[in-house]
Amino acid sequence: MKTQALTLSLAAILLAAAGCNGNKAGDNRTNAQTPEAQKVAGNKTIAAGLATDSRFMAAAKAAGLDQTLAGAGPYTVFVPDDAAFAKAPGGTFDAKPENRGQLTSVLTNLILPGTVTADDIGKAIDRGKGKATLATMGGGALTATKDDGKIVLADAKGGKATITSSDQDYTNGVVHHIDAVLLPAKAAAAPPEKAGG
């Protein structure tokens, strides 16, 4: 239980700190929604705007991240479509309490701090001569490239996802829909079982 609590606390601290981080040299993210984006988004947060019956929101709720996605942000979230969840390794999205650390690890690998539009990602790829690294809230990285004009993201394990719909604006960030689940290099370990019972 201590390992699970530590994992969740660390994820919560990382997510809470996201809004406080300043831009670093060479960093492409912004720390607040532009007035134009806020006007388009209205009063809808990411948590309120995504379908409550989607597999992503069910996983976010099980991990306790639904409240984070309802918070101030800003965040950039890569949301896999429901079909992508079925292709993930078995047990990845089990909603059992003992799987909460793994859920948190997987979901924070799909969240970037700040607001990063598809255009921002495209420009970063061009500046990086065909490749850009995007630091995730989970402490990992996604690699962005282009294929036939579409943005393709790769995780640390070589899994790939294409952005199918981009720049869905919300009051606390932006959502890009992807066609696969991108996994962290190493998912959080399940808490050790208690000896003797």
Side-chain angles (χ1 to χ4, degrees):
M1 286 301 267
K2 288 182 181 180
T3 303
Q4 181 180 2
L6 179 61
T7 301
L8 295 174
S9 296
L10 182 57
I13 290 167
L14 287 171
L15 289 171
C20 300
N21 289 345
N23 284 349
K24 296 176 184 166
D27 193 350
N28 199 30
R29 55 193 158 142
T30 57
N31 280 331
Q33 284 287 69
T34 64
E36 295 81 18
Q38 286 179 348
K39 186 175 179 182
V40 169
N43 60 1
K44 227 181 229 186
T45 64
I46 293 169
L50 295 176
T52 55
D53 61 346
S54 70
R55 300 277 308 266
F56 179 85
M57 283 308 294
K61 187 172 184 177
L65 293 175
D66 55 329
Q67 293 303 308
T68 299
L69 296 177
Y75 308 109
T76 297
V77 185
F78 297 107
V79 177
D81 58 36
D82 281 353
F85 281 80
K87 298 174 191 169
T92 301
F93 294 101
D94 285 346
K96 300 174 189 168
E98 61 269 18
N99 195 42
R100 195 168 178 182
Q102 176 174 297
L103 273 175
T104 301
S105 179
V106 170
L107 293 177
T108 57
N109 193 58
L110 298 171
I111 303 172
L112 309 179
T115 301
V116 184
T117 66
D119 189 51
D120 293 335
I121 297 170
K123 288 177 181 175
I125 293 168
D126 293 342
R127 279 193 312 270
K129 298 180 182 169
K131 185 175 11 174
T133 301
L134 308 173
T136 71
M137 296 297 296
L142 300 174
T143 302
T145 57
K146 289 182 184 176
D147 185 15
D148 286 333
K150 294 186 177 186
I151 295 173
V152 177
L153 304 170
D155 62 25
K157 294 182 175 186
K160 292 187 177 185
T162 300
I163 295 180
T164 57
S165 173
S166 62
D167 298 333
Q168 212 173 27
D169 287 318
Y170 294 98
T171 55
N172 62 344
V174 65
V175 167
H176 306 295
H177 292 273
I178 56 177
D179 63 0
V181 175
L182 297 166
L183 300 172
K186 184 177 180 185
E193 294 191 27
K194 292 181 183 176

